[in-house]
Amino acid sequence: MNIRINRSSQTPIYLQIKCAIQNLILSGELSPGYKMPAERKLAGELDIHRNTVIKAYGELVDEGYLIVSSKRPKGYFVKEIADDGVPFKRFFPLEKMIRYHFTDKEKLFLDIFSRSEREECISMGGIIMDDAAYPREGVEKILQNMSREPRNEAERMKKNICSVLFQENMYVSPKNIQLVAETNQALSHIMTLYLEEGDYVIAEEPVVPDNASIFRNKGINLVTVPMEPDGMDLAKLETAIRKYAPKFIYTMPNYHNPTGIVMSLEKRKKLLELAGRYCIPIIEEDSQRDFRYEGNRLPSLYAQDRYRSVIYIDSFTLTFPYGIKTGYIVGPTDLIETLERLIVVDETFVSSLGQYILNEYIERGYYQTHIGHLVKHYAHKRDLLCRCLDGIADKGITYTKPRGGLLLWCDLEERINERRLYHEAESRGLLIMPGFLFYPKGYEGGGHVRLCFSNISDADIERGVQILSEALEHSVE
C-alpha cells in the first residue's frame, strides 16, 4: 500500500495514515470490500507502533470509510460508499445559540493576522492592505463637495454593485442583492439560514481557518476535497457528494486562498453540471477577483449557472479599504428576501456616509481607474517576491507563480519542519503563515507556507526572503 510518512510534518502520523487511506478510497484505488492490511503488518511496513495504525483505522471506521469484522473473515474492510439514491433533505432555517470557540490552529491564524497590522516585524502573514494602494484620486474631492446628506445609500449601493458586476458579464438587479459587512458574515448568514447542526458542507482544501471555524461553530461538518493545478478535484468531489449528501459546495474559483489556483473554464462547467445533477447549491466567493495580473478573465460560476443554484459573495474590503466594510450576496430573489428578514440592519450595514463615499467613487468613474492602479502595484510586488524566492530555491522551498491574488503558496521539502520554520522566521523578525493551519484534519507529504505581499515594501520583501532563507537552514529535521 502506497503510504508515505513525513516524520517532519506537523500532522500526527496517525492522521497522515488516515488521510492517505481516505484518499486511496475516494480515488477508487481501494475498492469496496478490500481487506486492509492487519494492524501489525501495516505498522511493520511503515516502521511505526501498532497503536498508531489502530488509531488511524479507528477514525476511518468512525467516519464511515472502513468497517471492522470480528467474525471470519476478520479485519478491516473498505466500506461501500452511498449510491446516487442518497436522500437530500429540504432546507429549513434554524435559529440556534452556540458557545463560539476556536481550535489551536484557528487561534494561531488569528494571532498572526492581528500581528500583521502592527509594525513590530516584517509581515508576510495576514492579508492587510498597503496604505500606498489606497484610492487617492477623487476621494478628497468627494469629501469636500458633499452636496447633500446621505440618504437611502443602501439601495443606491445595490444599483452600483449591479453596474460593477455588469463589467463581469453578470446581469443582476438590485432585488438579487443583499448587503453585508464582509464575505465571512455572508457565509455565516447563509449557514444560519439553510443548515441544521450535523449537516455537511464541502470545501476545497487547504481552507482558510476562519472559514473552517464558521462551519464548525455552527455544528456543521466540513468535508474537504483536495485541489489540483486547475481547481478542485472533481472526481473526489463526486465521491464525497455521494458519501455525505452535502447541503452546499463552497469554492473560491479565482485566486483561491491560500493556493492562488484559478479554476479552469472546463472545470467550472463540470462543477456546475455536477452540482445540478445532485441538486446541491454552490457558494462562490470572489474576494480576490480584481487582482488579476495576467491571463484572460474567466466567467464566474454565477454567470454560467443554468440551474439558479449559485450564491455569489464578494466585498469591497480589499479594493476600497477605508474601514468602509461593504460586502454583498447575490442570489435568487427568494433567498435575498429571506436574508433581509434574517439580518439585523444595524449590525450589517455600514454607515450611510461610508456608502455615500463609495457610491460617489463608483459613479464618478474613479473606481475602475483605481482597480488598474491596484493591479499594477501588486503585480510588481508579486514579481519581486518570486524573483527573490527563485534565489533561495536550493533551500527547500518552491512555488507556482499565481496569475493573480495577494499571496504565494509555497511547498516545502519533507526535510523542512514547517512549525520550526515559523518560529525561526519569527525570532528573526519575519511573520509568515505556516501551511498546517489550512488543513483542519492534517495532510500527507511535505509542508507549506503562505506568503502575503499585500502590505510590504520592496525593501522588506528582499529582507524578508533573506530572513526566510536563514530560517530554512535552521528548520531541517
Side-chain angles (χ1 to χ4, degrees):
M1 186 176 296
N2 184 21
I3 297 177
R4 296 174 58 208
I5 292 177
N6 176 10
R7 301 183 191 273
S8 300
S9 174
Q10 294 307 302
T11 301
I13 290 177
Y14 84 91
L15 279 180
Q16 293 186 48
I17 296 170
K18 175 202 162 188
C19 289
I21 295 173
Q22 179 178 312
N23 284 331
L24 289 171
I25 293 172
L26 290 174
S27 65
E29 292 185 48
L30 298 183
S31 57
Y34 176 85
K35 189 177 188 300
M36 301 296 296
E39 296 158 353
R40 291 187 187 279
K41 179 175 176 57
L42 184 57
E45 290 178 357
L46 300 178
D47 193 22
I48 57 176
H49 197 280
R50 179 192 175 199
N51 288 345
T52 304
V53 177
I54 292 173
K55 194 169 183 180
Y57 278 178
E59 291 217 354
L60 289 164
V61 170
D62 290 342
E63 295 185 15
Y65 288 95
L66 300 180
I67 56 174
V68 58
S69 173
S70 58
K71 300 179 180 180
R72 292 187 180 276
K74 296 182 179 181
Y76 296 89
F77 298 85
V78 176
K79 186 178 180 181
E80 179 76 47
I81 293 177
D83 60 23
D84 295 348
V86 171
F88 287 83
K89 300 177 183 177
R90 289 176 58 98
F91 297 156
F92 290 98
L94 179 68
E95 295 180 3
K96 51 183 178 288
M97 297 179 63
I98 60 175
R99 182 175 299 166
Y100 203 93
H101 63 284
F102 299 95
T103 66
D104 289 341
K105 289 181 180 180
E106 291 158 6
K107 288 177 183 177
L108 180 56
F109 176 84
L110 292 173
D111 177 63
I112 294 172
F113 183 87
S114 176
R115 292 172 58 199
S116 296
E117 297 185 284
R118 308 170 196 166
E119 297 181 356
E120 61 186 34
C121 60
I122 297 173
S123 177
M124 295 183 184
I127 301 179
I128 307 295
M129 300 310 292
D130 187 354
D131 288 350
Y134 272 35
R136 296 285 188 264
E137 182 185 6
V139 173
E140 185 175 345
K141 185 183 296 184
I142 290 171
L143 292 174
Q144 290 176 345
N145 296 281
M146 289 184 63
S147 57
R148 63 181 179 84
E149 180 182 350
R151 296 177 183 174
N152 200 18
E153 293 299 327
E155 290 306 312
R156 186 182 175 198
M157 187 78 259
K158 291 179 182 181
K159 292 179 182 178
N160 281 318
I161 289 171
C162 291
S163 176
V164 170
L165 293 180
F166 181 81
Q167 305 301 318
E168 306 293 324
N169 296 319
M170 294 172 60
Y171 311 117
V172 301
S173 68
K175 66 182 181 180
N176 296 117
I177 296 173
Q178 173 61 49
L179 299 179
V180 292
E182 55 187 20
T183 53
N184 278 2
Q185 189 186 62
L187 198 58
S188 179
H189 285 317
I190 294 169
M191 297 300 100
T192 300
L193 182 63
Y194 281 113
L195 273 70
E196 298 178 358
E197 189 168 346
D199 284 340
Y200 287 85
V201 169
I202 292 180
E204 297 146 326
E205 189 177 57
V207 60
V208 178
D210 53 359
N211 285 345
S213 70
I214 290 174
F215 300 127
R216 180 176 51 77
N217 281 289
K218 289 183 177 293
I220 296 164
N221 296 302
L222 176 63
V223 177
T224 55
V225 173
M227 296 286 279
E228 296 178 315
D230 62 343
M232 189 187 298
D233 185 329
L234 296 187
K236 290 183 178 177
L237 171 63
E238 183 167 15
T239 301
I241 288 173
R242 295 173 59 199
K243 180 176 178 61
Y244 295 106
K247 291 294 184 65
F248 280 102
I249 299 169
Y250 168 68
T251 179
M252 294 181 64
N254 291 322
Y255 320 121
H256 172 262
N257 185 2
T259 65
I261 289 172
V262 176
M263 186 182 292
S264 66
L265 181 59
E266 179 184 9
K267 187 158 281 190
R268 293 178 192 227
K269 293 178 180 178
K270 289 182 178 178
L271 175 58
L272 288 168
E273 292 173 0
L274 197 61
R277 188 188 318 152
Y278 288 97
C279 301
I280 305 173
I282 296 172
I283 301 172
E284 176 183 18
E285 181 176 342
D286 213 5
S287 54
Q288 296 198 58
R289 176 195 69 212
D290 291 310
F291 299 91
R292 176 175 61 91
Y293 312 133
E294 57 194 52
N296 296 326
R297 189 185 297 282
L298 296 178
S300 66
L301 294 170
Y302 185 93
Q304 300 178 82
D305 180 27
R306 296 180 298 162
Y307 307 101
R308 294 174 56 81
S309 63
V310 177
I311 301 171
Y312 181 90
I313 60 176
D314 192 11
S315 83
F316 294 95
T317 304
L318 297 179
T319 53
F320 203 81
Y322 274 109
I324 302 173
K325 287 191 173 183
T326 298
Y328 55 93
I329 303 170
V330 181
T333 53
D334 53 351
L335 163 70
I336 299 304
E337 290 172 358
T338 308
L339 278 172
E340 287 177 345
R341 292 191 290 270
L342 173 70
I343 295 173
V344 177
V345 173
D346 287 343
E347 78 168 12
T348 301
F349 291 165
V350 298
S351 69
S352 294
L353 176 60
Q355 287 188 345
Y356 171 80
I357 295 171
L358 181 53
N359 281 326
E360 289 288 318
Y361 203 75
I362 294 172
E363 291 173 7
R364 296 187 185 199
Y366 295 125
Y367 185 75
Q368 289 302 322
T369 301
H370 169 59
I371 295 299
H373 292 160
L374 279 180
V375 168
K376 183 177 180 180
H377 179 81
Y378 284 114
H380 166 76
K381 300 289 185 187
R382 177 204 61 171
D383 293 343
L384 176 59
L385 179 56
C386 288
R387 288 197 300 272
C388 292
L389 288 174
D390 290 342
I392 64 167
D394 61 332
K395 300 295 177 67
I397 186 170
T398 58
Y399 67 91
T400 299
K401 188 174 183 179
R403 289 183 277 169
L406 298 166
L407 49 89
L408 257 65
W409 182 245
C410 303
D411 298 320
L412 303 174
E413 292 183 0
E414 290 192 7
R415 60 191 175 93
I416 305 295
N417 184 310
E418 64 180 313
R419 185 182 289 274
R420 183 183 300 174
L421 176 63
Y422 163 71
H423 288 298
E424 290 286 346
E426 181 188 33
S427 69
R428 291 168 170 78
L430 173 65
L431 199 59
I432 59 177
M433 196 73 78
F436 66 85
L437 300 181
F438 298 86
Y439 292 86
K441 299 181 180 179
Y443 59 89
E444 304 173 70
H448 308 276
V449 62
R450 191 188 78 173
L451 303 177
C452 294
F453 50 86
S454 59
N455 186 28
I456 186 170
S457 68
D458 289 3
D460 279 348
I461 287 177
E462 294 173 351
R463 175 59 185 149
V465 173
Q466 288 177 0
I467 294 174
L468 182 62
S469 176
E470 297 169 7
L472 283 163
E473 291 177 356
H474 290 81
S475 304
V476 178
E477 285 286 299

